[in-house]
Amino acid sequence: MSELVPGGNTPLPGGTLTLRVPGPFDVSALVTDDGGKVGGDADFVFYNQPTAPGARLHGDTLTVDPAGLRPGATRVTVVVSAADPGTALGGLPAPTLVVSGPGGRPLARFTPPRPRQETVLLLAELYRRGTGWKLRALGQGYADGLAGLARDFGVDVADDDPSAGPASPFPAAGAPLRTPSRWSDAASRLSGAASRLSEAAASRRSRSTGTPSPAAAPATGARPGSVSPGAFTAGPGPFSPADGFLTLVNSARAAAGSPPVSLDPRLAAAAQAHAADMASAGRLGTESRDGTSVHQRVTAAGYTYLTVGEHLVSGPRTPEEFVDYCLRTEQARRTLHDPAFTQVGLAYVTGSRTGDTYWTALWARPLLPGDLDRTAAEVTDLTNRERARAGLPPLATDALLTRAAQAHSTDMVVRQFYSHTGPDGSQPWDRAAAAGSTRRTIGENIACGQRSPAEVVEGWMNSPGHRANILKREFTHIGIGFAGGGKAGTYWTQLFGA
């Protein structure tokens, strides 16, 4: 295995390559041409868009099939940033890239010099040389975060011109929006910097194990040094901001065939609190400075949800511009059009220090009687469909496994953890036994952040460990747990028994 230094390179064999960066990092990849420029949304692979032609990201591992890349692609650049948004890489262990070839054969390893104040690091690049491909170690960091990196890869980033007044993130009438929308969508997650047009999204993660058991109203003014808020809540007149926003949103949803949403004051209050915190901090993020997530604000406002989504955006000046941005951007458009949502709350806050406006839109469907049973049944049905495709018998619902699974999902929300091991040290088989189950073999899949049964089962099936549990022939019964809340928004548990 080659040990690379910055600037070093090594030839790569044909076939699929695996690139892994373990540790507290987010891994991303940019697919470019000979000029080193991205061509659009599909050229950016990151945690919330994990696949592109020839490339796939799962957790800390990127797999690349050079032959499957889009036409004209000659380079894949591997990017790392801190998993905790805004954290300087100098406060973390130096990232190490491990590259393997077909069959898992180790090919190369690269650990760059420890970064300092940089928040984004170009770790390495795969590049085409003649008919083959090579790996080059880079280790180039960006102290100015996403903005510097974006410019180098052909993304337009607006600079403020003091003589021209506040800069607008939107092009002039008739001009194209050149910034790839997915890049904007991930801006705050990658660097913690305030992009002029950015939507933050919560990461979606999952884990598996399979182990035998041993037997409010809008404010109207700003105080010095404070923020100036505006929350869109139901107003008495036909020209209230809320009515205008709702009309715009429901018109766009109708065009997509989705049912209308209504305004909810609890969602508006949570949106107001989160937008105010972002404006005060001067950056976008799904968590505030004290660690409170936007989803925790929703539950703290007294709203219990079945599914939830968010838009966190900086730049738009009016509801029209906000909705226009959402419709231009693939991930944001998908959220706005999502037929599962029935209610919404929106707020914006302008920071007095920077003049930037921060928007929070919260979309949700309330949890109603019978929703937990229906959700569990849908997850079970989708799971059994996957078993049927593999020629396996279906799993039967088990009330005791269901009780244990539901308790674990709820516990992860209440005690704010995400693990197969409970804070008290309990394991899946311990929880099953505590619920009264006498099954001898227990397996568990967990996940967080997914918005629907279809999304969570698809994620599990795309992960070898989770897939193995779902398709284990020995398992005969299943229990499903679901809870909304916590930092990730949704927590799912599959508990298998035999």
Side-chain angles (χ1 to χ4, degrees), residues 243-271:
D243 290 341
F245 168 69
L246 202 60
T247 299
L248 291 166
V249 164
N250 284 333
S251 175
R253 287 174 65 86
S258 299
V261 293
S262 62
L263 291 164
D264 185 272
R266 296 163 297 179
L267 294 176

Side-chain angles (χ1 to χ4, degrees), residues 24-46:
F25 306 104
D26 273 344
V27 180
S28 307
L30 293 142
V31 180
T32 59
D33 54 19
D34 284 329
K37 305 299 182 184
V38 297
D41 295 279
D43 283 349
F44 183 27
V45 179
F46 70 113

Side-chain angles (χ1 to χ4, degrees), residues 50-73:
T51 60
R56 181 174 184 83
L57 177 67
H58 180 72
D60 60 8
T61 302
L62 175 73
T63 57
V64 178
D65 177 11
L69 296 172
R70 66 163 174 83

Side-chain angles (χ1 to χ4, degrees), residues 9 24 40 90 111 123 169-170 184 192 215 218 220 271 281 294 334 339 354 357 366 389 399 403 430 479 481 487:
N9 63 75
T111 301
L123 194 54
F170 296 93
S184 296
T220 57
V294 65
R334 188 180 303 136
T354 64
T357 301
R389 291 190 184 100
R403 180 187 304 171
D430 299 321
K487 291 184 180 296

Side-chain angles (χ1 to χ4, degrees), residues 207-215 398-412 415 417-439 441-447 469 479 481 492-497:
R207 298 179 184 172
S208 67
T209 183
T211 309
S213 71
D398 183 289
L400 299 178
L401 294 179
T402 297
R403 180 187 304 171
Q406 183 59 48
H408 189 55
S409 287
T410 301
D411 193 32
M412 286 191 288
R415 292 202 275 180
F417 73 98
Y418 177 61
S419 175
H420 295 289
T421 304
D424 58 357
S426 63
Q427 298 293 332
W429 45 90
D430 299 321
R431 295 187 289 269
S437 176
T438 58
R439 301 197 179 278
T441 302
I442 295 294
E444 183 180 79
N445 286 344
I446 60 175
N469 272 345
W492 307 78
T493 302
Q494 273 185 324
L495 198 58
F496 304 90

Side-chain angles (χ1 to χ4, degrees), residues 9 36 76 89 215 247 282 304 317 385 405 415 417:
N9 63 75
V76 178
L89 292 171
T247 299
T304 304
R317 297 159 296 185
R385 291 185 193 180
R415 292 202 275 180
F417 73 98

Side-chain angles (χ1 to χ4, degrees), residues 156-232:
D156 288 340
V157 179
D159 290 320
D160 288 341
D161 180 356
S163 64
S168 169
F170 296 93
L177 183 66
R178 291 180 57 200
T179 303
S181 60
R182 281 284 188 166
W183 182 279
S184 296
D185 182 66
S188 66
R189 180 67 176 177
L190 278 176
S191 68
S195 162
R196 276 289 175 182
L197 189 59
S198 178
E199 179 188 357
S203 61
R204 299 172 185 180
R205 309 182 188 275
S206 56
R207 298 179 184 172
S208 67
T209 183
T211 309
S213 71
T220 57
R223 299 181 301 278
S226 68
V227 293
S228 175
F232 293 140

